[in-house]
Amino acid sequence: MLKSLSILFLLLCSAFTLAQDSLSNDPPETKWNAFKYDFANIFKGMGHSYTRPFHWQGKQWMQFGGFVAGTALVYTADYETSRFIRANRESVPTWLRDYGEFYGSPQYQMIAAAGVYSIGLFTENEKLRRTGVLLVSSTASTGLLQQVLKTVVGRARPESNLGKDTFDPFNSNRRFHSFPSGHAVTAFTAAYAVGKQFKSPWVKAGIYTAGAIPGISRLWDGQHWLSDFVVSIVISVATVESIDRFLDRKYDNKYNDEAERQAHLKDKKTSWDLNIGAGTIGLALRF
């Protein structure tokens, strides 16, 4: 993960250097100021996402409690779901498993995020620039968080055959880095941030599906439990939503027009609904 962040930093620095040389009709300091402003917002957005729990009130804590309860129910079935998913691995096309492994790799997500931002900066497209800032900030935020959680929690991977209840915090052996799924976190963070740029629910569904495959591929390979995957998706959504709200106050242009942006700022609320019934567990996120 540290290597991936180093790659991201170098790419952003390259973006600044190239930006100074591109579009020579504009004063270099204009792009320099834009880069400084964006770079500051990337780190401020990360800090904003990490500090949100300190600002939660009663309703948010109740929603979090519902999420924990739902995750606990998934956890109880981790062994059975893992056995079933791994048993059907060979029925999944090889190209799909390879795609999941490749696309979910953190370094590729970092490169893609920096690439989107660079294009927005070069072309002076503020909407694309803002999208790039959201991608970079969200990817870096979730990437660091999942790396810390892996180390602190120390959950054994399914392939270790030590059971779903085995935890060895601060064990550097990768066999104890099951929670959460790095592939699921990084891939779905990018997919969710990109999906927010489109209005069509079908386009969103396609993008979210593509972003979920890397995490699912890790279940096939016995690298993570289902509860690891579920928590990873929630971390991705919560982080992107948090940073997106922060950036609403920093940029004038968004993925929608001005009228929709104002409505988005006024009505944007996130809520969690946990539905539990006979043989059914449902967790719905509305935003």
Side-chain angles (χ1 to χ4, degrees), residues 187-205:
F188 200 78
T189 293
Y192 190 75
V194 171
K196 289 174 71 65
Q197 318 307 313
F198 298 90
K199 301 176 185 178
S200 169
W202 297 106
V203 174
K204 287 178 179 287

Side-chain angles (χ1 to χ4, degrees), residues 8 16 43 85 114 203 205 217 231 261:
L8 174 62
F16 159 63
F43 286 99
I85 293 172
V203 174
S217 72
V231 172
R261 190 181 77 85

Side-chain angles (χ1 to χ4, degrees), residues 11 66 113 119-120 152-153:
L11 286 170
I119 294 172
V152 173
V153 176

